[in-house]
Amino acid sequence: QVRPVESGGGSVQAGRTVKLSCVLTGNTNPSFCMAWFREVAGKEREAVAAIENDGKITYAEAVKGRATISRDRATNLDLQMNNLRPEDTATYYCAADYSCFRGALVARAHAFWGQGTQVTVFS
């Protein structure tokens, strides 16, 4: 069973930077589509950024220009968020699947999810 494991996050002052990391554990494939999503209690989970199997990168409009997603090997995924805003406060989840044919930024396109890591941005 493939399982993403997130690390990073914490409480960060607005305007600063946070880096999140994700490692896929378990029975890993040589190629994955991977993504970051975030969720605030009471709201729908939203996409942040994704890297597809061929390396194509997509960002959600809300973070475009402030986020950088990168992958080191097939199973390690990072997300750096610059110039953080209080509205970036959320639980951030790493997601993965063998392909993203249903859409890299679509939550239901990913079968494997981590437990999430909290990012809190204070003014």
Side-chain angles (χ1 to χ4, degrees):
Q1 179 69 18
V2 175
R3 187 168 72 95
V5 178
E6 304 100 338
S7 61
S11 292
V12 187
Q13 190 172 24
R16 304 293 292 266
T17 296
V18 70
K19 184 176 181 180
L20 308 179
S21 296
C22 173
V23 177
L24 296 185
T25 63
N27 184 17
T28 56
N29 208 52
S31 177
F32 283 93
C33 173
M34 298 182 71
W36 287 96
F37 290 79
R38 64 187 183 184
E39 185 174 318
V40 176
K43 295 187 177 181
E44 190 173 339
R45 188 169 295 189
E46 66 173 5
V48 178
I51 294 183
E52 299 185 41
N53 302 64
D54 62 1
K56 178 184 175 183
I57 291 175
T58 310
Y59 293 100
E61 286 298 320
V63 301
K64 203 171 282 187
R66 299 188 298 120
T68 302
I69 190 171
S70 60
R71 180 159 60 191
D72 175 20
R73 297 179 286 181
T75 57
N76 293 27
L77 185 73
D78 290 335
L79 177 71
Q80 180 167 307
M81 293 273 293
N82 302 319
N83 192 22
L84 285 165
R85 305 167 181 169
E87 54 263 39
D88 293 318
T89 295
T91 302
Y92 284 71
Y93 294 91
C94 178
D97 209 323
Y98 299 117
S99 73
C100 284
F101 68 94
R102 289 179 290 179
L105 294 181
V106 176
R108 64 178 181 273
H110 299 272
F112 309 113
W113 290 83
Q115 293 297 309
T117 184
Q118 179 68 31
V119 174
T120 301
V121 183
F122 60 93
S123 300

